[in-house]
């Protein structure tokens, strides 16, 4: 069976048709029963480079076996780069596919390929307007047809039988939040590719259930938004039967379950929280202490907020794998009027945006919020109160007492950690904040809000869930522990100690520990392939970079197999100046090509790197007894 993937952006996108991937022996041994696969290793083969740095010039790859072509989303062009894969070690630009034949100034967000049919998610010139699903011929690159879908289609995927193409229509608001279109999932019947028919799975049936959904753990928090406006579909996974889709609602920390035949959202599944106080869930929370310090913190939780998701079958059941990246809403963050002016009553204009991210040290400063006026203080936070406090019962371990955060806000403790101010503070039965005095005394006349829990972004992990969204397994702090260890080596030749560049950013050199205050290594993209009857996960770490490989055949006990990071220059601060030799930075989308479809008869992994603007090709080597 062929593996047909869709990988989409806005951050990225891809969809595994669950259970696919092709059982690929990758050996050419004469025996009819080759030795069992005991492991897997990645080997760098080659790359295509756009020569564009930090322009998202290589994001989402999809592969067509019939033409031996890669179709790669190039956001810098707003188009698809078509690469020939006749020689996988030297992919070459064949052509560029634009969508100007649909409408001027449209942009490509995502791509999927199946049996010579290229499905493209097309963003309208104004992102809050309805977008398009377009079908092209993989050989001629001619437009076959297109159909209108929802606002900001950010990911596209084929069902296993090829009857439908689905798009995740994110429906992001305008930067000033004055327009907030509804999120949706378009189910497009392509039985006749010349005449696609779109149906819409929307969330309007859940309008009016906002409080109930919030109580269940679904984040609905956009200014004035109902459920349908606030939910933002990001990424799609499909079961092997083409009957059910699971759609990531990243900012909402939930999944939507969709019945494909009726184009109906049947359920919204909250993903819950990751307790950072528990052993095995530790994080490095500071980018300013100059050391690797992975530890637990009472009162801190991580919101899973996955980006990529895939479905696969094990033991007759369907499981979902997520890359738990985390993502904050930040609209209007470059608008000075949104944040107000210091000394003018801190009168930021909440109609000009919505920014939910804030550092702990600023949230709980004893002098209150106004010291951040005109800098990074969201007016919606200021409307809640004049300052924030930490619950001394929970945060006493780092010195918090009534009215004083103690050492909790120090840079080498929790001070640098980015969290969301929108939740975690104490509320009454109506959902309104319980007020306190600056001394930490509960008082309706007070002007401080009390944080009992701090909510950080992302799980810094990958997780496996069952079909109803129940957690089966989570990698915990394994990724950060590994990249901090002596066992982790970067570079295509595996000769660069990862620990020397732990939690580095992906767009500059000498950036040790620079992402610890945010989302750490930031798992974002993933794909799945099968070799020798085993199922393997390929997971891209957006910031630290590199691809982790796990055997996930048993969803309750994944086993790490390999890590390869083909970034070569880690020290040149101006990375753009050494782009030609820097290697690959910022993995976004991944596609597995089984040996049966591969141009050279070997299983391959292709990765789009948005920062280096490169598309890298790796051999997937099966290890055998």
């Amino acid at each position: 069976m062929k593996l047909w993937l869709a990988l989409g952006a806005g951050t990225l996108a891809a969809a595994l048709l669950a259970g696919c991937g092709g059982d690929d022996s990758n050996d050419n041994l004469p025996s009819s029963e080759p030795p069992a696969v005991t492991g897997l290793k990645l080997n760098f083969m080659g790359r295509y480079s756009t020569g564009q740095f930090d322009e998202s010039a290589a994001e989402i790859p999809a592969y067509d076996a019939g033409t031996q072509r890669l179709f790669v989303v190039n956001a810098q062009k707003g188009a698809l780069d078509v690469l020939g894969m006749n020689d996988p070690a030297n992919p070459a630009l064949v052509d560029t596919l634009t969508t100007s034949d649909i409408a001027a100034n449209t942009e490509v967000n995502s791509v999927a390929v199946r049996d010579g049919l290229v499905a493209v998610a097309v963003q309208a010139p104004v992102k809050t307007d309805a977008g398009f699903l377009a079908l092209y011929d993989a050989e001629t690159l001619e437009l076959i047809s297109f159909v209108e879908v929802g606002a900001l289609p950010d990911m596209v995927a084929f069902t296993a039988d090829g009857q439908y193409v689905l798009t995740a229509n994110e429906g992001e608001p305008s930067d000033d939040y004055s327009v907030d279109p509804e999120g949706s999932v378009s189910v497009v019947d392509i039985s006749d590719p010349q005449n696609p028919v779109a149906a819409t799975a929307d969330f309007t049936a859940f309008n009016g259930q906002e409080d109930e959904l919030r109580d269940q753990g679904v984040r609905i928090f956009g200014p004035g938004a109902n459920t349908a406006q606030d939910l933002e579909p990001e990424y799609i996974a499909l079961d092997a039967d083409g009957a059910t889709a699971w759609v990531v609602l990243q900012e909402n920390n939930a999944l939507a379950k969709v019945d494909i035949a009726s184009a109906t959202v049947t359920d919204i599944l909250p993903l819950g929280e990751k307790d950072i106080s528990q052993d095995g869930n530790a994080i490095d929370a500071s980018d300013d202490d100059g050391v690797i310090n992975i530890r637990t913190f009472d009162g801190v939780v991580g919101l899973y907020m996955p980006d990529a998701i895939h479905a696969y079958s094990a033991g007759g059941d369907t499981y979902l794998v997520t890359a738990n990246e985390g993502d904050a809403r930040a609209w209007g963050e470059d608008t000075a009027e949104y944040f107000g002016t210091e000394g003018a009553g801190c009168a930021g204009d909440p109609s000009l945006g919505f920014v939910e991210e804030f550092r702990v040290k600023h949230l709980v400063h004893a002098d209150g919020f106004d010291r951040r006026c005109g800098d990074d203080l969201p007016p919606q936070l200021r409307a809640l109160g004049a300052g924030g406090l930490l619950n001394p019962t929970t945060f006493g371990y780092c010195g918090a007492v009534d009215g004083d955060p103690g050492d909790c806000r120090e840079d080498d403790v929790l001070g640098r950690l980015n969290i969301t101010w929108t939740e975690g503070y104490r509320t009454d039965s109506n959902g309104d904040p319980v007020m306190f005095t600056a001394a930490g005394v509960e008082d309706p006349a007070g002007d401080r809000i009390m944080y009992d829990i701090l909510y950080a972004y992302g799980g810094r992990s990958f997780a496996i869930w069952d079909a109803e969204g129940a957690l089966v397994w989570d990698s915990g702090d394994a990724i950060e522990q590994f990249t901090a260890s002596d066992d982790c080596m970067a570079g295509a030749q595996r000769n660069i100690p990862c620990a020397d560049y732990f939690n580095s950013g992906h767009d500059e050199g000498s950036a040790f520990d620079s992402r610890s205050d945010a989302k750490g290594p930031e798992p974002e993209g993933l794909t799945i392939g099968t070799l020798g009857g085993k199922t393997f996960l390929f997971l891209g770490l957006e910031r630290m970079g590199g691809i982790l490989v796990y055997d996930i055949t048993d969803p309750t006990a994944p086993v790490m197999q390999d890590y390869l990071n083909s970034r070569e220059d880690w020290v040149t601060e101006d990375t753009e100046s050494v782009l030609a030799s820097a290697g690959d930075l910022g993995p976004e989308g991944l596609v597995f090509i089984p040996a049966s479809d591969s141009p050279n008869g070997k299983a391959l992994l292709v990765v789009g790197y948005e920062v280096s603007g490169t598309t890298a090709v790796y051999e997937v080597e099966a290890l055998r007894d």
Side-chain angles (χ1 to χ4, degrees), residues 43-353:
N43 302 305
F44 176 79
M45 290 189 66
R47 68 173 61 91
Y48 168 77
S49 178
T50 63
Q52 299 293 318
F53 176 76
D54 205 15
E55 296 287 349
S56 297
E59 290 188 335
I60 311 305
Y63 177 71
D64 177 57
T67 59
Q68 296 186 353
R69 287 177 169 180
L70 283 172
F71 295 82
V72 184
V73 173
N74 183 328
Q76 187 257 341
K77 294 178 180 177
L80 287 175
D81 282 338
V82 183
L83 306 182
M85 282 281 285
N86 307 73
D87 178 4
N90 295 284
L93 183 66
V94 173
D95 208 337
T96 298
L97 191 158
T98 70
T99 55
S100 57
D101 45 1
I102 296 174
N105 301 316
T106 53
E107 298 179 16
V108 172
N109 279 344
S110 180
V111 62
V113 179
R114 188 181 192 279
D115 293 340
L117 195 62
V118 183
V120 182
V122 182
Q123 177 180 323
V126 177
K127 74 170 184 175
T128 53
D129 291 345
F132 305 93
L133 180 280
L135 300 175
Y136 289 85
D137 184 287
E139 176 67 41
T140 67
L141 305 184
E142 292 180 355
L143 177 66
I144 297 171
S145 61
F146 66 92
V147 65
E148 187 175 282
V149 293
L152 194 62
D154 196 39
M155 189 268 175
V156 61
F158 285 92
T159 56
D161 60 7
Q163 181 178 350
Y164 298 101
V165 174
L166 278 67
T167 62
N169 308 315
E170 193 166 7
E172 286 181 351
S174 58
D175 287 352
D176 62 2
Y177 238 102
S178 62
V179 180
D180 189 4
E182 294 182 352
S184 64
V185 178
S186 292
V187 179
V188 184
D189 188 332
I190 60 165
S191 301
D192 177 3
Q194 299 283 350
N195 296 287
V197 178
T200 302
D202 62 30
F203 299 96
T204 56
F206 297 90
N207 288 344
Q209 301 180 33
E210 288 79 11
D211 289 342
E212 179 183 347
L213 289 167
R214 290 188 189 103
D215 289 343
Q216 294 171 5
V218 180
R219 302 183 76 223
I220 300 175
F221 61 104
N226 58 31
T227 302
Q229 291 172 308
D230 206 63
L231 300 184
E232 297 184 1
E234 179 87 19
Y235 206 106
I236 303 169
L238 297 154
D239 69 4
D241 298 328
T244 305
W246 293 265
V247 183
V248 169
L249 309 171
Q250 185 173 24
E251 291 84 355
N252 312 103
N253 196 37
L255 304 178
K257 195 171 182 179
V258 178
D259 177 74
I260 294 174
S262 64
T264 304
V265 178
T266 59
D267 206 354
I268 298 174
L269 309 172
L271 295 178
E273 305 153 359
K274 183 170 180 174
D275 188 350
I276 306 303
S277 72
Q278 298 297 308
D279 289 341
N281 285 347
I283 64 172
D284 187 324
S286 176
D287 64 336
D288 200 45
D289 55 3
V291 297
I292 298 174
N293 184 16
I294 304 171
R295 52 171 290 194
T296 58
F297 294 93
D298 288 349
V300 180
V301 300
L303 295 168
Y304 283 101
M305 296 175 135
D307 190 327
I309 184 173
H310 280 269
Y312 76 106
S313 296
D317 295 320
T318 296
Y319 293 91
L320 310 170
V321 191
T322 59
N324 304 319
E325 177 195 25
D327 193 21
R329 280 183 172 153
W331 304 107
E333 59 183 336
D334 297 322
T335 304
E337 293 81 6
Y338 170 72
F339 291 110
T341 304
E342 185 177 2
C346 200
D349 187 346
S351 71
L352 297 178

